[in-house]
Amino acid sequence: MKTAFIFPGQGSQSVGMLSDLAQSHSVVAQVFSDASAVLGYDLWQVVQQGPDAQLNQTSITQPAMLAAGIAVYRALQQVKPGVVPSFMAGHSLGEYTALVAAGVMTLEQGVALVAERGRLMQQAVPAGEGAMAAILGLEDEQVVELCQLSCGDQVVEAVNFNTPGQVVIAGNKVAVDRAMKLAEEKGAKKVVALAVSVPSHCALMKPAADQLAQALSSMTFAKPNIPVLHNVSVEAYDDAKQIKAALVAQLYRPVQWVKTIECMKSNGVEKLYELGPGKVLAGLNRRIDRRMTIETIFDSATLSNLSKED
C-alpha cells in the first residue's frame, strides 16, 4: 500500500501540545532542545506554558509547529521504521516540515528559516491591516470572481483551496470585509473571519517573499530522499534552485491543497498519515476524498495504536 506523510501548518498549535508524547518519547525533548539552541530561547517552555498570545505570534508559531511535526515524525520512525511514504507534503508552513523530514534541510536550518519567514511576514503587513476569512459553500471560480469584484485598489485573493467548497481568502482587511459580505450575498453557506493578522499567500506578502529569497540564496539544500509535493505547483523537485523558488512563490501564491491530495491519489497513494498537533488536515481530506484512509499521529495513544497495526 502506498502511503504519504502530511504535515499541518499554522492554526493547529495549542499550549501544551505534545506534552503526552514527550513523556514516552525522549526524541521530542531532543528536537525542541535543538530548535531552542537555534532560536536563543526555550521553545518547549513557550509551547507548554504559553501564554497563547505568545505562542500565536507568527514568528514563534512557525518554528514551534515545525519542531512539533519533526518530533512526531522521528517518534514514528522509532516505532514503525518500516513505514516509508511515497510522498510528503505540508499545508503552508507544513511544507517546510516536509522538506526537513525528507532531508532537504536540517532541523536547525528549517527552524532558523521559518523563524525568519514568520518575522518577515509580520513585518510586511502591520497588525490590524491584513485579514483572512474562510468561504464555505461556493465554487472556487465564484470565490475568485468575488475577490476580483471586491478588491478595488487594494488586495483580496483566494489563497487556500482547502477542500471542494472551502476556500480561504486573504488581503487588506477592508477588502476582505467587502469580499465576505459579497460572499454572503452570493449564497455562501458560511463565512468565517480567521483569527490571524498576517494575510498569508497573497500579493501583500511579495516584499516578504523577496527578502526570503535572499535568506534562501545562501543556504545549501540536499536532494530529497522522498518526493515532496509543493503547495503552489503540486510538483516535486530534486533541484535546490527549484525548491527555493517554490518556497518563495508559496509566500504570495495560493496553497493548492485539493490538487495536492488528488495528485497523491492519482499516483496510487491509498493511506495518509497526518504528523503533528491536531486533526485539521484529516478533516479537510475527508471532504476531498473519503476513500483515502488517514491516521492522525500526535500523542502516545495514536502512536501506540499505529504500532499495533500489521
Side-chain angles (χ1 to χ4, degrees):
M1 179 187 291
K2 281 190 175 183
T3 63
F5 290 175
I6 56 177
F7 298 90
Q10 284 184 252
S12 292
Q13 74 274 6
S14 62
V15 172
M17 64 184 184
L18 301 194
S19 59
D20 172 75
L21 190 66
Q23 293 178 20
S24 55
H25 290 82
S26 61
V27 69
V28 176
Q30 185 59 58
V31 167
F32 275 87
S33 175
D34 293 343
S36 298
V38 173
L39 297 168
Y41 62 87
D42 191 338
L43 183 62
W44 183 247
Q45 182 179 18
V46 176
V47 165
Q48 293 305 300
Q49 298 180 15
D52 285 328
Q54 186 177 6
L55 179 58
N56 292 338
Q57 290 176 21
T58 299
S59 58
I60 294 177
T61 306
Q62 296 199 27
M65 282 300 298
L66 185 143
I70 293 301
V72 174
Y73 172 66
R74 291 184 179 174
L76 173 61
Q77 284 184 307
Q78 292 178 343
V79 172
K80 296 279 283 188
V83 179
V84 179
S86 298
F87 295 96
M88 291 187 183
H91 190 284
S92 189
L93 166 74
E95 184 169 304
Y96 289 77
T97 317
L99 290 169
V100 172
V104 172
M105 55 181 124
T106 65
L107 170 67
E108 289 79 6
Q109 281 181 307
V111 166
L113 184 58
V114 299
E116 176 67 1
R117 179 179 184 263
R119 187 188 70 80
L120 293 172
M121 290 171 70
Q122 286 184 327
Q123 180 180 284
V125 180
E129 291 189 14
M132 299 181 75
I135 311 295
L136 283 71
L138 296 180
E139 298 292 332
D140 292 354
E141 296 76 13
Q142 289 178 287
V143 178
V144 171
E145 182 182 9
L146 68 85
C147 285
Q148 292 170 346
L149 293 171
S150 303
C151 62
D153 60 353
Q154 295 184 311
V155 171
V156 58
E157 299 169 359
V159 297
N160 289 359
F161 295 94
N162 285 334
T163 74
Q166 189 200 116
V167 180
V168 172
I169 63 174
N172 295 105
K173 187 178 186 307
V174 173
V176 170
D177 288 344
R178 285 197 295 262
M180 292 172 66
K181 183 178 179 181
L182 185 56
E184 291 173 344
E185 293 172 1
K186 294 280 187 181
K189 292 180 181 177
K190 197 172 185 181
V191 179
V192 183
L194 303 182
V196 297
S197 60
V198 177
S200 304
H201 307 297
C202 73
L204 295 177
M205 288 293 111
K206 187 64 167 65
D210 292 341
Q211 292 177 280
L212 182 68
Q214 294 178 15
L216 283 164
S217 65
S218 61
M219 293 182 67
T220 300
F221 280 3
K223 180 179 177 180
N225 50 45
I226 292 164
V228 175
L229 293 178
H230 292 274
N231 286 178
V232 171
S233 62
V234 197
E235 293 185 18
Y237 305 117
D238 288 336
D239 180 71
K241 287 184 178 179
Q242 288 179 300
I243 294 171
K244 291 177 181 181
L247 292 177
V248 172
Q250 188 227 50
L251 205 52
Y252 65 95
R253 291 178 59 190
V255 172
Q256 299 288 352
W257 193 248
V258 174
K259 291 180 179 179
T260 298
I261 300 304
E262 289 175 345
C263 178
M264 291 178 177
K265 179 75 172 182
S266 67
N267 280 279
V269 172
E270 297 177 58
K271 186 168 187 176
L272 302 167
Y273 293 88
E274 179 179 1
L275 306 184
K279 303 178 182 180
V280 170
L281 299 183
L284 297 181
N285 291 353
R286 289 190 187 99
R287 293 194 288 275
I288 297 172
D289 191 334
R290 284 188 172 275
R291 294 167 296 177
M292 294 179 75
T293 57
I294 182 164
E295 295 277 355
T296 54
I297 313 298
F298 56 87
D299 61 10
S300 58
T302 51
L303 197 58
S304 177
N305 289 338
L306 185 65
S307 67
K308 296 172 185 175
E309 293 182 1
D310 293 331

